[in-house]
């Protein structure tokens, strides 16, 4: 568990917001990198390197006609790999999911290949806006080759020569038209105040905590009555920022000894976790950690939400209890070592000011995005230092990785052959060591290609 340093950096959300993202997809050698160079107007920006895990950088900021956007170049895998078409499609899928629009590059001279068709299927499924670049149309004579690409069924092919710059202006105009003015809200990020849930088993001090943070400036914002659950959220200003506390009615209104109470309480807890972005799990530090505490933390991890653990009733702490508590934490809570921990007393108000920095740190970790270039550099180092063990003469290879989503950080790692579970856990551990992700579950998905 991470005891937060006294000074957690203040949480600065970018005012400008992220730039819209254009993914450049296509099979190897169609001229993607050359086109990226052309778009960003810097010849030296994209480095040639050996196929495999690393490509120095894959994301660049570009500007056309006064509008800025981010270009994501995909690639970095072996063009001779077996099952190349599937690989191209798989990588394209990840890039497309993360993008606002797609520039699909086809080699007009070579014409349509299986790999191109595999990408088209992914593009169709995604529903993202697509601009089709028919590349290597270096002069008028091969313009007609570009027209053959109408048969892909994804709209007008823009005949371009990445090498000479021919036709790229019209293509970029089409790209701007396809990109949203402001980037779409990705990964389900909703605007407005951040959503916090306070959960925990009965009598740990949830309502005391809520009353302490809410003081008098609370606003009840929604009341949907009529069912066993009647969620009521409250807007509460803390640390100069407004927060939406989820289903506070469930905390304030206690239904003791009602039939099925426990069942409804756990339903309600799970519903609150689902709606929250960050969850504060309150534990009674004066008593032993129970199964029920662990079940709740597991639910937060499974739901992929940011987690803060609040050890309440710290005013009751003495040397002996503290000794046992630390042992319980080491034994039962190792899997939540990444969660910020705050020791508080809702009764006296002691250390309550530590709650907001912990929540902000967890949200930061939850939203962390590792650029693809950095991720692949990391994977390259990791594989070089600790290669996957050879089993029966075979050694699965890590081809590349990309962060598919944030909230929580979710990584797709593409491999040739099956990665062992222990090696996957090793990757997860190293990811945390290198990139942090304080307060957030981290998901790693291995996509093995044969
Ligand atoms: P990528 O693997 O898709 O990134 O492709 P590259 O950008 O590395 O280009 C592959 C090869 O095609 C290189 O030899 C480029 O010089 C060449 N190439 C790229 N664009 C053009 C073009 O517009 N015309 C011609 N004739 N060759 C090109
Ligand atoms: P909830 O069921 O989780 O909402 O818990 P409550 O807030 O109702 O608290 C349960 C009991 O614990 C009440 O008697 C509170 O006064 C007491 N309590 C809550 N927080 C603290 C604390 O920090 N220290 C001590 N000593 N008692 C607390």
């Amino acid at each position: 568990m991470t005891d937060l340093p006294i000074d957690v950096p203040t949480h600065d959300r970018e005012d400008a917001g992220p730039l819209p993202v254009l993914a450049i997809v296509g099979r190897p050698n169609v001229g993607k990198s050359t086109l990226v160079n052309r778009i960003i107007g810097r010849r030296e920006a994209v480095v040639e390197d050996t196929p495999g895990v690393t490509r120095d950088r894959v994301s660049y900021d570009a500007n056309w006609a006064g509008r800025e956007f981010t270009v994501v170049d995909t690639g970095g895998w072996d063009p001779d790999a077996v099952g190349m078409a599937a690989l191209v499609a798989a990588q394209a899928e990840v890039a497309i999911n993360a993008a606002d629009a797609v520039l699909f590059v086809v080699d007009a001279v070579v014409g349509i290949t299986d790999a191109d068709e595999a990408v088209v299927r992914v593009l169709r499924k995604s529903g993202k806006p697509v601009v089709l670049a028919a590349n290597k149309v270096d002069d008028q004579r091969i313009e007609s080759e570009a027209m053959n690409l109408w048969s892909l069924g994804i709209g007008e092919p823009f005949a371009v020569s990445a090498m000479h710059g021919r036709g790229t202006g019209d293509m970029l105009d089409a790209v701007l038209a396809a990109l949203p003015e402001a980037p779409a809200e990705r990964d389900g990020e909703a605007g407005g105040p951040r959503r916090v849930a306070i959960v925990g088993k009965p009598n740990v001090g949830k309502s005391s905590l809520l009353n302490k943070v809410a003081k008098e400036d609370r606003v009840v914002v929604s009341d949907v009555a009529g069912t066993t659950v009647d969620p009521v959220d409250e807007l509460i200003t803390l640390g100069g920022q407004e927060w939406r506390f989820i289903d506070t009615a469930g905390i304030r209104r206690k239904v003791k000894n009602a039939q099925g109470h426990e069942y409804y309480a756990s339903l309600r807890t799970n519903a609150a976790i689902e709606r929250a972005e960050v969850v504060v799990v309150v534990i009674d530090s004066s008593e032993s950690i129970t199964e029920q505490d662990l079940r709740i933390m597991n639910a937060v991890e499974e739901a992929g939400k940011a987690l803060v653990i609040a050890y309440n009733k710290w005013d009751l702490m003495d040397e002996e209890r503290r000794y046992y508590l630390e042992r319980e934490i080491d034994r039962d809570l190792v899997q939540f070592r990444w969660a910020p921990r705050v020791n508080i007393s809702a009764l006296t108000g002691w250390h309550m000011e530590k709650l907001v920095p912990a929540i902000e740190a967890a949200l930061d970790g939850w939203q962390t995005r590792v650029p693809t270039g950095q991720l692949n550099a990391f994977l390259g180092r990791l594989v070089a230092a600790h290669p996957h063990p050879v089993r029966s003469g075979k050694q699965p290879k890590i081809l590349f990785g990309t962060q598919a989503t944030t909230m929580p950080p979710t990584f797709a790692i593409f491999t040739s052959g099956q990665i062992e579970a222990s090696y996957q856990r090793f990757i997860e551990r190293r990811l945390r060591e290198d990139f942090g992700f304080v307060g957030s579950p981290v998901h790693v998905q291995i996509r093995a290609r044969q």
Side-chain angles (χ1 to χ4, degrees):
M1 214 132 318
T2 319
D3 247 326
L4 282 173
I6 307 296
D7 289 317
V8 175
T10 47
H11 185 77
D12 260 335
R13 301 190 71 202
E14 280 177 15
D15 289 337
L19 297 174
V21 174
L22 176 72
I24 318 270
V25 304
R27 60 178 186 81
N29 280 323
V30 293
K32 294 185 299 299
S33 305
T34 312
L35 196 54
V36 169
N37 275 333
R38 178 65 59 188
I39 294 171
I40 63 179
R42 282 195 304 261
R43 290 213 68 86
E44 71 286 1
V46 178
V47 286
E48 287 294 317
D49 59 2
T50 47
V53 171
T54 49
R55 187 161 215 165
D56 209 14
R57 274 180 69 191
V58 287
S59 122
Y60 313 87
D61 289 343
N63 182 313
W64 177 251
R67 267 182 68 195
E68 284 192 299
F69 54 98
T70 298
V71 175
V72 176
D73 182 17
T74 63
W77 25 258
D78 188 350
D80 300 324
V82 190
M84 218 267 302
L87 263 177
V88 172
Q91 161 122 31
E93 185 165 11
V94 179
I96 289 163
N97 284 340
D100 296 301
V102 181
L103 182 62
F104 176 35
V105 187
V106 177
D107 184 328
V109 178
V110 170
I112 299 164
T113 67
D114 287 353
D116 297 324
E117 277 170 350
V119 175
V120 168
R121 284 192 290 277
V122 176
L123 284 170
R124 284 233 174 78
K125 211 171 65 191
S126 78
K128 295 275 165 89
V130 183
V131 173
L132 173 59
N135 192 33
K136 305 198 186 177
V137 181
D138 296 344
D139 57 54
Q140 188 81 42
R141 284 168 300 157
I142 31 184
E143 199 109 319
S144 60
E145 308 288 346
M147 294 307 108
N148 293 336
L149 303 186
W150 275 104
S151 67
L152 285 170
I154 49 169
E156 178 184 359
F158 285 85
V160 299
S161 168
M163 192 120 94
H164 305 299
R166 194 169 181 272
T168 50
D170 288 351
M171 179 200 75
L172 284 170
D173 287 344
V175 163
L176 286 192
L179 284 173
E181 280 292 339
E185 282 174 352
R186 282 190 288 277
D187 303 326
E189 181 180 18
R194 310 312 301 259
R195 301 186 301 276
V196 189
I198 299 176
V199 301
K201 62 180 180 148
N203 288 318
V204 292
K206 294 183 297 299
S207 51
S208 308
L209 174 63
L210 182 64
N211 286 329
K212 207 72 179 182
V213 296
K215 300 195 191 87
E216 60 284 339
D217 61 4
R218 61 199 179 85
V219 187
V220 176
V221 287
S222 74
D223 195 344
V224 186
T227 52
T228 46
V229 279
D230 47 342
V232 176
D233 299 347
E234 288 178 35
L235 289 178
I236 296 171
T237 305
L238 287 180
Q241 199 181 329
E242 202 167 55
W243 303 82
R244 186 179 187 120
F245 280 74
I246 302 292
D247 188 18
T248 51
I251 300 171
R252 294 183 188 281
R253 193 171 315 144
K254 293 188 182 173
V255 194
K256 302 266 190 219
N257 307 320
Q259 259 215 322
H261 169 59
E262 234 184 77
Y263 172 71
Y264 287 118
S266 81
L267 265 191
R268 187 156 209 162
T269 299
N270 286 328
I273 292 171
E274 276 311 323
R275 289 182 55 220
E277 296 172 284
V278 54
V279 180
V280 178
V281 175
V282 184
I283 286 188
D284 181 343
S285 62
S286 70
E287 294 182 348
S288 290
I289 292 166
T290 65
E291 274 299 319
Q292 204 178 346
D293 296 317
L294 290 173
R295 259 203 310 278
I296 293 169
M297 282 184 247
N298 275 318
V300 177
E301 184 174 29
E302 269 161 36
K305 303 307 171 101
L307 170 66
V308 170
I309 305 177
Y311 292 81
N312 191 33
K313 309 197 186 180
W314 206 264
D315 54 291
L316 301 176
M317 193 56 58
D318 58 27
E319 280 307 312
E320 191 191 358
R321 174 60 201 139
R322 180 151 195 177
Y323 173 87
Y324 287 109
L325 176 67
E326 294 302 335
R327 254 131 219 88
E328 286 168 23
I329 289 172
D330 284 345
R331 190 186 60 219
D332 300 328
L333 266 55
V334 268
Q335 71 177 109
F336 302 107
R337 220 191 291 263
W338 43 265
R341 159 184 175 176
V342 283
N343 303 332
I344 57 170
S345 171
L347 191 69
T348 67
W350 181 81
H351 269 185
M352 290 296 288
E353 74 283 358
K354 299 214 163 179
L355 199 57
V356 168
I359 289 173
E360 289 178 336
L363 280 170
D364 277 345
W366 192 58
Q367 297 179 143
T368 302
R369 182 175 287 284
V370 180
T372 309
Q374 263 182 46
L375 178 66
N376 284 295
F378 157 83
L379 286 172
R381 285 195 304 274
L382 179 129
V383 169
H386 304 278
H388 192 285
V390 179
R391 302 285 184 224
S392 354
K394 287 194 183 145
Q395 187 179 37
K397 205 171 132 197
I398 290 182
L399 300 170
F400 62 87
T402 183
Q403 184 171 350
T405 66
T406 60
M407 305 188 263
T410 302
F411 296 90
I413 293 181
F414 293 82
T415 65
S416 67
Q418 214 59 52
I419 297 287
E420 288 174 8
S422 60
Y423 198 75
Q424 177 172 346
R425 283 196 300 276
F426 168 68
I427 295 174
E428 287 170 8
R429 227 174 25 248
R430 284 303 178 91
L431 271 171
R432 277 197 187 280
E433 282 171 19
D434 268 50
F435 300 109
F437 311 117
V438 167
S440 179
V442 170
H443 298 161
V444 173
Q445 299 160 355
I446 302 289
R447 312 253 175 97
R449 311 275 152 187
Q450 293 314 320

